[in-house]
Short mmCIF file of all heavy atoms in Angstrom, two decimals:
data_model
loop_
_atom_site.label_atom_id
_atom_site.label_comp_id
_atom_site.label_asym_id
_atom_site.label_seq_id
_atom_site.Cartn_x
_atom_site.Cartn_y
_atom_site.Cartn_z
N ALA A 1 -57.36 -16.60 -26.42
CA ALA A 1 -56.59 -17.18 -25.49
C ALA A 1 -56.80 -16.73 -24.11
O ALA A 1 -56.23 -17.28 -23.13
CB ALA A 1 -55.11 -17.03 -25.90
N GLY A 2 -57.55 -15.68 -23.86
CA GLY A 2 -57.82 -15.23 -22.57
C GLY A 2 -56.59 -14.44 -21.88
O GLY A 2 -56.57 -14.35 -20.78
N LEU A 3 -55.65 -14.00 -22.75
CA LEU A 3 -54.56 -13.20 -22.23
C LEU A 3 -54.92 -11.91 -21.73
O LEU A 3 -54.30 -11.40 -20.87
CB LEU A 3 -53.50 -13.10 -23.35
CG LEU A 3 -52.96 -14.34 -23.98
CD1 LEU A 3 -51.94 -14.09 -25.02
CD2 LEU A 3 -52.15 -15.16 -22.80
N VAL A 4 -56.12 -11.38 -22.21
CA VAL A 4 -56.65 -10.07 -21.69
C VAL A 4 -58.05 -10.31 -21.45
O VAL A 4 -58.73 -10.94 -22.21
CB VAL A 4 -56.43 -8.98 -22.72
CG1 VAL A 4 -57.04 -7.60 -22.22
CG2 VAL A 4 -54.91 -8.79 -23.06
N ASP A 5 -58.58 -9.58 -20.44
CA ASP A 5 -59.99 -9.73 -20.12
C ASP A 5 -60.77 -9.29 -21.35
O ASP A 5 -60.65 -8.28 -21.86
CB ASP A 5 -60.33 -8.85 -18.92
CG ASP A 5 -61.69 -9.17 -18.30
OD1 ASP A 5 -62.56 -9.59 -19.18
OD2 ASP A 5 -61.95 -9.05 -17.11
N ARG A 6 -61.75 -10.22 -21.72
CA ARG A 6 -62.57 -9.77 -22.97
C ARG A 6 -63.30 -8.56 -22.78
O ARG A 6 -63.71 -7.91 -23.81
CB ARG A 6 -63.43 -10.94 -23.32
CG ARG A 6 -62.63 -12.28 -23.76
CD ARG A 6 -63.64 -13.23 -24.37
NE ARG A 6 -62.94 -14.46 -24.87
CZ ARG A 6 -63.44 -15.45 -25.50
NH1 ARG A 6 -64.74 -15.36 -25.73
NH2 ARG A 6 -62.76 -16.54 -25.90
N ARG A 7 -63.65 -8.21 -21.49
CA ARG A 7 -64.31 -6.92 -21.30
C ARG A 7 -63.61 -5.75 -21.60
O ARG A 7 -64.06 -4.67 -21.90
CB ARG A 7 -64.86 -6.94 -19.79
CG ARG A 7 -65.96 -7.94 -19.45
CD ARG A 7 -66.29 -8.01 -18.02
NE ARG A 7 -65.02 -8.40 -17.17
CZ ARG A 7 -64.99 -8.59 -15.90
NH1 ARG A 7 -66.06 -8.20 -15.21
NH2 ARG A 7 -63.85 -8.88 -15.31
N ASP A 8 -62.21 -5.92 -21.52
CA ASP A 8 -61.33 -4.87 -21.78
C ASP A 8 -60.81 -4.78 -23.24
O ASP A 8 -60.16 -3.95 -23.71
CB ASP A 8 -60.14 -4.87 -20.85
CG ASP A 8 -60.58 -4.72 -19.37
OD1 ASP A 8 -61.46 -3.83 -19.09
OD2 ASP A 8 -59.87 -5.27 -18.50
N LEU A 9 -61.07 -5.98 -23.81
CA LEU A 9 -60.61 -6.04 -25.24
C LEU A 9 -61.74 -6.70 -26.10
O LEU A 9 -61.73 -7.84 -26.33
CB LEU A 9 -59.37 -6.96 -25.37
CG LEU A 9 -58.53 -7.13 -26.61
CD1 LEU A 9 -57.83 -5.68 -26.85
CD2 LEU A 9 -57.56 -8.09 -26.64
N PRO A 10 -62.72 -5.85 -26.45
CA PRO A 10 -63.80 -6.31 -27.32
C PRO A 10 -63.36 -6.80 -28.69
O PRO A 10 -62.27 -6.47 -29.05
CB PRO A 10 -64.71 -5.09 -27.39
CG PRO A 10 -63.90 -3.94 -27.09
CD PRO A 10 -62.81 -4.34 -26.22
N SER A 11 -64.15 -7.49 -29.37
CA SER A 11 -63.93 -7.99 -30.69
C SER A 11 -63.65 -6.78 -31.66
O SER A 11 -64.27 -5.73 -31.45
CB SER A 11 -64.97 -8.92 -31.21
OG SER A 11 -66.10 -8.23 -31.45
N MET A 12 -62.93 -7.09 -32.73
CA MET A 12 -62.67 -5.98 -33.62
C MET A 12 -63.95 -5.60 -34.31
O MET A 12 -64.17 -4.39 -34.69
CB MET A 12 -61.60 -6.47 -34.64
CG MET A 12 -61.27 -5.35 -35.67
SD MET A 12 -60.62 -3.81 -34.96
CE MET A 12 -59.20 -4.38 -34.14
N GLN A 13 -64.82 -6.49 -34.49
CA GLN A 13 -66.16 -6.14 -35.18
C GLN A 13 -66.98 -5.22 -34.21
O GLN A 13 -67.62 -4.24 -34.74
CB GLN A 13 -66.92 -7.43 -35.37
CG GLN A 13 -68.28 -7.20 -36.05
CD GLN A 13 -69.16 -8.52 -36.20
OE1 GLN A 13 -68.67 -9.53 -35.90
NE2 GLN A 13 -70.30 -8.29 -36.72
N THR A 14 -66.89 -5.45 -32.95
CA THR A 14 -67.56 -4.61 -31.96
C THR A 14 -66.90 -3.26 -32.05
O THR A 14 -67.69 -2.23 -31.95
CB THR A 14 -67.51 -5.17 -30.53
OG1 THR A 14 -68.09 -6.48 -30.54
CG2 THR A 14 -68.19 -4.24 -29.56
N VAL A 15 -65.79 -3.15 -32.06
CA VAL A 15 -64.94 -1.84 -32.11
C VAL A 15 -65.38 -0.94 -33.34
O VAL A 15 -65.66 0.16 -33.22
CB VAL A 15 -63.44 -2.00 -31.93
CG1 VAL A 15 -62.76 -0.71 -32.20
CG2 VAL A 15 -63.00 -2.69 -30.64
N VAL A 16 -65.19 -1.80 -34.42
CA VAL A 16 -65.52 -0.98 -35.73
C VAL A 16 -66.97 -0.62 -35.71
O VAL A 16 -67.38 0.60 -36.16
CB VAL A 16 -65.28 -1.95 -36.93
CG1 VAL A 16 -65.72 -1.30 -38.18
CG2 VAL A 16 -63.76 -2.25 -36.97
N THR A 17 -67.88 -1.48 -35.25
CA THR A 17 -69.43 -1.06 -35.31
C THR A 17 -69.59 0.05 -34.33
O THR A 17 -70.39 0.99 -34.67
CB THR A 17 -70.19 -2.32 -34.80
OG1 THR A 17 -69.97 -3.44 -35.63
CG2 THR A 17 -71.65 -1.95 -34.81
N THR A 18 -69.00 0.04 -33.25
CA THR A 18 -69.11 1.21 -32.25
C THR A 18 -68.56 2.42 -32.90
O THR A 18 -69.21 3.57 -32.78
CB THR A 18 -68.40 0.85 -30.95
OG1 THR A 18 -68.92 -0.39 -30.34
CG2 THR A 18 -68.56 2.06 -29.89
N ALA A 19 -67.43 2.40 -33.46
CA ALA A 19 -66.83 3.59 -34.10
C ALA A 19 -67.76 4.23 -35.22
O ALA A 19 -68.03 5.39 -35.23
CB ALA A 19 -65.42 3.28 -34.67
N VAL A 20 -68.25 3.26 -35.97
CA VAL A 20 -69.23 3.78 -37.14
C VAL A 20 -70.54 4.49 -36.53
O VAL A 20 -70.92 5.51 -36.90
CB VAL A 20 -69.62 2.66 -38.10
CG1 VAL A 20 -70.67 3.04 -39.01
CG2 VAL A 20 -68.37 2.16 -38.79
N THR A 21 -71.06 3.72 -35.49
CA THR A 21 -72.28 4.23 -34.85
C THR A 21 -72.06 5.59 -34.12
O THR A 21 -72.81 6.53 -34.31
CB THR A 21 -72.65 3.21 -33.87
OG1 THR A 21 -73.03 1.95 -34.44
CG2 THR A 21 -74.03 3.65 -33.17
N GLU A 22 -70.91 5.71 -33.44
CA GLU A 22 -70.57 6.94 -32.70
C GLU A 22 -70.28 8.14 -33.77
O GLU A 22 -70.51 9.22 -33.21
CB GLU A 22 -69.50 6.75 -31.77
CG GLU A 22 -69.84 5.78 -30.56
CD GLU A 22 -70.69 6.43 -29.51
OE1 GLU A 22 -70.19 7.36 -28.86
OE2 GLU A 22 -71.79 6.00 -29.44
N LEU A 23 -69.68 7.84 -34.80
CA LEU A 23 -69.39 8.74 -35.75
C LEU A 23 -70.64 9.24 -36.58
O LEU A 23 -70.69 10.38 -36.91
CB LEU A 23 -68.26 8.26 -36.80
CG LEU A 23 -66.89 8.19 -36.21
CD1 LEU A 23 -66.00 7.46 -37.20
CD2 LEU A 23 -66.34 9.58 -35.86
N ILE A 24 -71.54 8.46 -36.79
CA ILE A 24 -72.69 8.76 -37.57
C ILE A 24 -73.76 9.47 -36.58
O ILE A 24 -74.23 10.55 -37.00
CB ILE A 24 -73.45 7.41 -38.13
CG1 ILE A 24 -72.53 6.87 -39.15
CG2 ILE A 24 -74.77 7.80 -38.68
CD1 ILE A 24 -73.02 5.61 -39.82
N ASP A 25 -74.00 8.96 -35.42
CA ASP A 25 -75.01 9.55 -34.60
C ASP A 25 -74.55 9.37 -33.15
O ASP A 25 -75.10 8.57 -32.28
CB ASP A 25 -76.31 8.85 -34.78
CG ASP A 25 -77.39 9.60 -34.05
OD1 ASP A 25 -77.28 10.73 -33.67
OD2 ASP A 25 -78.51 8.90 -33.73
N GLY A 26 -73.56 10.13 -32.76
CA GLY A 26 -72.95 10.04 -31.35
C GLY A 26 -71.90 11.08 -31.14
O GLY A 26 -71.62 11.89 -32.01
N PRO A 27 -71.52 11.12 -29.85
CA PRO A 27 -70.58 12.30 -29.56
C PRO A 27 -69.15 12.22 -30.17
O PRO A 27 -68.49 13.22 -30.13
CB PRO A 27 -70.54 12.05 -28.09
CG PRO A 27 -70.84 10.64 -27.69
CD PRO A 27 -71.82 10.22 -28.79
N LEU A 28 -68.87 11.06 -30.71
CA LEU A 28 -67.55 10.96 -31.32
C LEU A 28 -67.37 11.87 -32.55
O LEU A 28 -66.31 12.38 -32.82
CB LEU A 28 -67.19 9.48 -31.60
CG LEU A 28 -65.83 9.19 -32.26
CD1 LEU A 28 -64.72 9.65 -31.28
CD2 LEU A 28 -65.64 7.64 -32.47
#
C-alpha cells in the first residue's frame, strides 16, 4: 500500500534471508 517507504521496510523474505546470512557468515 506504500504506507511506509519500501527502502525502510524491506520484504519479510529479505529480512529473513539477511538474518540467516549475517548469522552464518557475518557480524551478527
Side-chain angles (χ1 to χ4, degrees):
L3 299 178
V4 178
D5 193 327
R6 293 190 178 185
R7 293 172 296 182
D8 299 327
L9 193 68
S11 67
M12 183 55 63
Q13 181 180 358
T14 301
V15 173
V16 173
T17 302
T18 301
V20 172
T21 302
E22 291 286 293
L23 284 171
I24 293 176
D25 187 22
L28 186 54

